[in-house]
Amino acid sequence: QVQVVESGGGLVQAGGSLRLSCAVSGRAFSTVMGWFRQAPGKQRELVAVITRAGSINYAESVKGRFTISRDNAKKTAYLQMNSLKPEDTAVYYCNAVAGPDEYWGQGTQVTVSL
């Protein structure tokens, strides 16, 4: 059974930083791992995605502030978030794609205060 577990969310002041982690357990090997977020009353949106080979894409709203990375040996992805803004407040979800299947974590809350 594959499980995706996020950690690292919390409350931070505007301009601060947080680092999210996403650990994948089970036999599946994720070819693509990504971070999505969903703010209250809004649709879930892509934040950043990274392939096994290291190709990366970011949402325009986070370019230059967020950095996605992964450790394939640990089956873990990270999202370093700097210069956080109140509009970054959301539940952040990790997504892992393995073959024809995709898996989601339970989400971790990130709250950025003024």
Side-chain angles (χ1 to χ4, degrees):
Q1 185 177 358
V2 176
Q3 284 190 318
V4 178
V5 179
E6 305 101 334
S7 61
L11 173 64
V12 65
Q13 286 188 327
S17 298
L18 283 174
R19 187 191 194 211
L20 305 182
S21 297
C22 169
V24 179
S25 63
R27 295 178 61 84
F29 185 87
S30 304
T31 54
V32 180
M33 298 184 74
W35 288 97
F36 292 71
R37 67 186 181 186
Q38 188 166 18
K42 294 187 176 181
Q43 289 188 331
R44 190 173 297 189
E45 62 176 2
L46 174 69
V47 175
V49 63
I50 183 169
T51 68
R52 177 181 178 182
S55 295
I56 293 171
N57 278 299
Y58 294 103
E60 286 295 325
S61 59
V62 306
K63 281 184 178 179
R65 300 187 299 121
F66 290 11
T67 302
I68 189 172
S69 60
R70 65 186 287 173
D71 183 329
N72 290 330
K74 295 182 178 179
K75 298 170 73 173
T76 300
Y78 306 94
L79 186 68
Q80 178 66 42
M81 304 184 294
N82 298 328
S83 302
L84 282 161
K85 305 175 181 179
E87 50 263 45
D88 294 317
T89 295
V91 178
Y92 284 70
Y93 297 91
C94 181
N95 174 268
V97 176
D101 302 313
E102 66 172 346
Y103 305 91
W104 290 91
Q106 80 289 349
T108 185
Q109 177 70 46
V110 171
T111 302
V112 185
S113 64
L114 289 169

